[in-house]
Structures are given as C-alpha cells and as structure tokens.
Amino acid sequence: MLAEQWRLDGSVALRPEPFGALAYHFGTRKLSFLKTPELVDVVRRLEQSPSVEAALTDAGVPEPHWPAYVAALEGLATGGMISRRDPA
C-alpha cells in the first residue's frame, strides 16, 4: 500500500471533530471514525500525494508509526472510504 496512490472516495465527506473526524459514505451510509487529527491529515493529503508513503512523510508521521497508519488506511479502503487512484 505504501507505494500506491489513494484518495478519499468521492462519495465520502469528512466532518472534523475534536478527536479527528467522522467519515460518512453517502452511497453506503457507512460511518467511520478517524481517531486522530494526524490520520485526518494523511487522508486529506492522499489525493495530491504520489503515494501513501509520501502522504505519511508530508504529514510528519514518524516512520515507526507507519504500520498503524497503514492498518487504519487499509480499514478505510475495505470500508470504501478511500479508493485507489489511477497513476497519471
């Protein structure tokens, strides 16, 4: 996943919250919690980043924490909150 390009799905809205954000998918009506502001920052950076690794780096996430963030992103991908981008 680190080398892949992802984005917030077009049917998903993020609502900022003190703990991070709520992600609501208008198609499936699924609600997900992004439990830290840092994860929200990473998700927002996905669209403009050449890879997940770049989004993590640009958001200032320390490399030892990457596995936890990748696990969270994989959960968001499974739930349809984020989707792969086609390489440009």
Side-chain angles (χ1 to χ4, degrees):
M1 176 177 240
L2 284 173
E4 297 173 345
Q5 297 179 340
W6 289 81
R7 64 176 176 81
L8 187 66
D9 188 271
S11 296
V12 174
L14 294 179
R15 185 177 87 188
E17 295 289 341
F19 57 81
L22 293 173
Y24 180 75
H25 194 294
F26 287 95
T28 64
R29 298 174 39 181
K30 183 174 180 159
L31 185 65
S32 293
F33 294 87
L34 281 67
K35 297 180 182 178
T36 67
E38 294 80 12
L39 179 58
V40 177
D41 189 21
V42 170
V43 168
R44 288 191 170 142
R45 290 175 184 272
L46 290 175
E47 182 76 34
Q48 301 302 318
S49 296
S51 66
V52 169
E53 181 177 353
L56 290 166
T57 300
D58 293 346
V61 177
E63 194 168 340
H65 298 174
W66 288 7
Y69 281 80
V70 168
L73 292 171
E74 287 172 343
L76 291 171
T78 299
M81 297 296 178
I82 62 173
S83 54
R84 282 197 176 113
R85 286 189 289 135
D86 291 328

